[in-house]
């Protein structure tokens, strides 16, 4: 028991201390899973492994660049309105503070103008620290992004050698079983990423169309921001809804606009959680809610936001690994959804454009 507890503590210590290296490695591993079929298609054209991996990564970078260009105009417009938006937030916060102070007096003779000026001075004094943190976080993000691209490239060109190296650790009679396990792990990661991409597109379009109908400025920016945050299980959609709700509350005269935005995101989350996610992503993961919530909290404690996103597919991969070994099957039973019946019937993935994307990536 002592060795088991010590091993768990050592594992968590390694995960925390090696976070700058392990996060790019983990992201690169998942990206390489989804790019592998496309890379193999390029290799079938006699391009060579290095060029095939480079073309696959370049294709993803072009897609990301196009998405960034599409949203850049809305981001610039939102940045120009930031000062006006900031003043409205301070005024709204001052009104709420005065309301509570009038009913439960904390500070006597508190005036709205004085409170507004104090908050604005405090915010301006904090700007330098905020800019410094932003620069540091941006530099860290760019370094992690570059490392992720390099690791993805290396995973794709050295995949055969890495597979043989890991197979060498297993006994000769277990090699077919271990190879099957590796393929299953790769398929789970591939299906999870593909499912999240489809889910993000569907939720983003639904959010954007709803915000456009309500009359919110920059609807596609807020809509797809909420969809991207929905990657985080259970709390991501709520986080994505808070931003446009606050924007609607401080930017429009009617409070019903903010209420309409909140109802829109609640309804889309309801449909997503009960219909879209189980069919698009849940079928690939097949892990229970307890495991998903534990993955969320453990990932947040170890790697922060990145851990909240990454630990869910890792839990599904762990289940696949445990299913291949008799000694570890109890762990697979704890992680999986053996007591939950799978729903049968055509899911939303049957639409023609999804089939074309799947054929392109050979999924």
């Amino acid at each position: 028991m002592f060795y088991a507890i010590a091993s768990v503590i050592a594992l968590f210590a390694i995960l925390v201390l090696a976070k700058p290296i392990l996060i790019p490695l983990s992201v690169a591993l998942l990206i390489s899973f989804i790019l592998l079929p496309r890379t193999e298609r390029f290799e079938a054209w006699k391009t060579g492994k290095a060029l095939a991996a480079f073309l696959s990564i370049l294709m993803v970078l072009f897609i990301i660049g196009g998405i960034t260009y599409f949203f850049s105009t809305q981001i610039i417009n939102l940045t120009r309105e930031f000062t006006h938006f900031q003043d409205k937030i301070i005024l709204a916060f001052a009104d709420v503070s005065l309301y509570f102070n009038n009913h439960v007096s904390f500070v006597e003779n508190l005036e709205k103008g004085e409170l507004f000026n104090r908050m604005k001075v405090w915010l301006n004094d904090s700007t330098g620290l905020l800019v410094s943190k932003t620069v540091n976080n941006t530099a860290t993000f760019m370094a992690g992004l570059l490392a992720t691209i390099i690791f993805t490239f290396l995973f794709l060109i050295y995949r055969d050698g890495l597979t043989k190296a890991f197979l060498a650790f297993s006994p000769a009679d277990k090699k077919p079983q271990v190879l099957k396990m590796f393929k299953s792990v790769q398929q789970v990661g591939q299906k999870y990423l593909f499912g999240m991409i489809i889910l993000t597109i569907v939720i983003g379009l639904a959010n954007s169309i709803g915000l456009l109908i309500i009359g919110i400025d920059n609807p596609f920016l807020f809509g797809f921001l909420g969809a991207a945050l929905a990657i985080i299980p259970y709390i991501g959609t709520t986080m994505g809804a808070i931003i446009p709700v606050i924007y609607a509350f401080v930017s429009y005269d009617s409070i019903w606009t903010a209420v309409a935005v909140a109802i829109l995101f609640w309804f889309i989350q309801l449909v997503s959680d009960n219909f879209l996610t189980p069919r698009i992503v849940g079928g690939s993961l097949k892990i229970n809610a307890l495991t998903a919530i534990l993955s969320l909290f453990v990932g947040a404690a170890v790697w922060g936001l990145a851990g909240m996103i990454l630990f869910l597919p890792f839990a599904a991969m762990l289940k696949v690994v445990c299913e291949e070994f008799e000694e570890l099957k109890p762990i697979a039973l704890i992680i999986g959804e053996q007591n939950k019946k799978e729903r049968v019937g055509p899911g939303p993935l049957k639409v023609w454009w999804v089939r074309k994307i799947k054929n392109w990536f050979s999924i």
Side-chain angles (χ1 to χ4, degrees), residues 117-130:
N117 290 331
R118 286 184 180 181
M119 292 178 63
K120 195 158 188 178
V121 169
W122 172 80
L123 195 62
N124 291 333
D125 291 339
S126 304
T127 301
L129 181 61
L130 181 63

Side-chain angles (χ1 to χ4, degrees), residues 2 11 148 189 216 242 252:
F2 170 77
L11 176 62
T148 301
I216 301 295
I242 290 175
Y252 297 89

Side-chain angles (χ1 to χ4, degrees), residues 8 27 37 48 55 95 109 180 195 198 241 253 258-260 266 293 332 345 359-360 362:
V8 171
V27 176
L55 291 175
D95 288 335
N109 302 322
K180 177 187 173 185
I198 296 298
D253 297 330
V259 173
W266 169 80
I293 294 173
N359 290 334
W360 174 258
S362 301

Side-chain angles (χ1 to χ4, degrees), residues 40-102:
E40 289 176 340
R41 281 200 175 187
F42 283 132
E43 290 175 2
W45 299 345
K46 307 300 182 182
T47 57
K49 285 189 175 182
L51 182 57
F54 174 77
L55 291 175
S56 299
I57 295 173
L58 188 64
M59 177 186 67
V60 174
L61 292 177
F62 271 125
I63 294 173
I64 295 174
I67 294 172
T68 304
Y69 178 78
F70 176 76
F71 289 115
S72 61
T73 304
Q74 298 185 51
I75 294 173
I76 292 171
N77 292 335
L78 195 62
T79 304
R80 289 172 181 169
E81 299 173 4
F82 178 73
T83 304
H84 181 61
F85 184 61
Q86 171 185 295
D87 290 345
K88 284 194 171 185
I89 291 178
I90 296 175
L91 284 172
F93 187 80
D95 288 335
V96 173
S97 301
L98 285 172
Y99 175 80
F100 281 105
N101 190 71
N102 291 334

Side-chain angles (χ1 to χ4, degrees), residues 3 15 55 102 109-110 126 144 180 214 266 317 351 355:
Y3 292 108
L15 290 174
L55 291 175
N102 291 334
N109 302 322
L110 185 65
S126 304
K180 177 187 173 185
I214 293 172
W266 169 80
M317 294 177 189
V351 293
R355 286 201 305 269

Side-chain angles (χ1 to χ4, degrees), residues 56-351:
S56 299
I57 295 173
L58 188 64
M59 177 186 67
V60 174
L61 292 177
F62 271 125
I63 294 173
I64 295 174
I67 294 172
T68 304
Y69 178 78
F70 176 76
F71 289 115
S72 61
T73 304
Q74 298 185 51
I75 294 173
I76 292 171
N77 292 335
L78 195 62
T79 304
R80 289 172 181 169
E81 299 173 4
F82 178 73
T83 304
H84 181 61
F85 184 61
Q86 171 185 295
D87 290 345
K88 284 194 171 185
I89 291 178
I90 296 175
L91 284 172
F93 187 80
D95 288 335
V96 173
S97 301
L98 285 172
Y99 175 80
F100 281 105
N101 190 71
N102 291 334
H103 289 78
V104 182
S105 182
F106 294 102
V107 181
E108 294 185 2
N109 302 322
L110 185 65
E111 296 182 359
K112 181 176 179 179
E114 181 184 358
L115 182 60
F116 175 82
N117 290 331
R118 286 184 180 181
M119 292 178 63
K120 195 158 188 178
V121 169
W122 172 80
L123 195 62
N124 291 333
D125 291 339
S126 304
T127 301
L129 181 61
L130 181 63
V131 170
S132 176
K133 285 186 176 181
T134 302
V135 171
N136 291 335
N137 291 337
T138 302
T140 303
F141 173 79
M142 294 304 296
L145 179 61
L146 179 61
T148 301
I149 294 173
I150 294 173
F151 287 145
T152 303
F153 178 77
L154 294 176
F155 278 140
L156 289 173
I157 63 174
Y158 292 125
R159 62 184 186 274
D160 294 335
L162 290 172
T163 302
K164 290 179 181 178
F166 283 112
L167 283 175
F169 288 102
S170 61
D173 59 329
K174 296 285 185 180
K175 289 185 187 299
Q177 183 182 7
V178 174
L179 183 60
K180 177 187 173 185
M181 180 195 69
F182 285 157
K183 290 182 179 179
S184 299
V185 168
Q186 186 262 331
Q187 289 173 358
V188 167
Q190 185 185 76
K191 290 178 181 178
Y192 171 78
L193 272 182
F194 182 78
M196 291 310 303
I197 291 171
I198 296 298
L199 193 65
T200 301
I201 294 173
V202 173
I203 294 177
L205 287 174
N207 289 342
S208 303
I209 294 172
L211 292 174
L212 188 64
I213 294 173
I214 293 172
I216 301 295
D217 294 333
N218 308 310
F220 288 95
L221 176 63
F222 289 124
F224 278 91
L225 176 62
L229 290 173
I231 295 174
I232 304 172
Y234 300 104
I235 65 171
T237 308
T238 304
M239 293 169 55
I242 290 175
I243 299 174
V245 167
I246 293 176
Y247 179 82
F249 178 74
V250 300
S251 300
Y252 297 89
D253 297 330
S254 175
I255 193 174
W256 294 109
T257 304
V259 173
V261 173
I263 292 174
L264 168 70
F265 276 80
W266 169 80
F267 176 75
I268 292 175
Q269 181 182 9
L270 188 68
V271 174
S272 172
D273 290 346
N274 292 280
F275 182 73
L276 294 177
T277 303
R279 295 199 174 199
I280 296 177
V281 182
S284 302
L285 293 177
K286 294 181 181 176
I287 61 176
N288 57 53
L290 176 62
T291 302
I293 294 173
L294 282 175
S295 302
L296 181 67
F297 282 100
V298 172
V302 176
W303 288 351
L305 180 62
M308 296 171 73
I309 298 172
L310 293 171
F311 272 51
L312 186 62
F314 285 168
M317 294 177 189
L318 176 62
K319 173 178 171 287
V320 171
V321 173
C322 293
E323 284 176 338
E324 296 296 331
F325 301 95
E326 287 295 331
E327 300 84 356
L328 300 178
K329 280 190 175 180
I331 298 177
L333 292 172
I334 294 173
I335 296 175
E337 283 191 331
Q338 282 74 14
N339 295 324
K340 185 175 179 181
K341 293 182 179 179
E342 294 285 338
R343 284 186 292 182
V344 185
L349 288 179
K350 299 299 182 181
V351 293

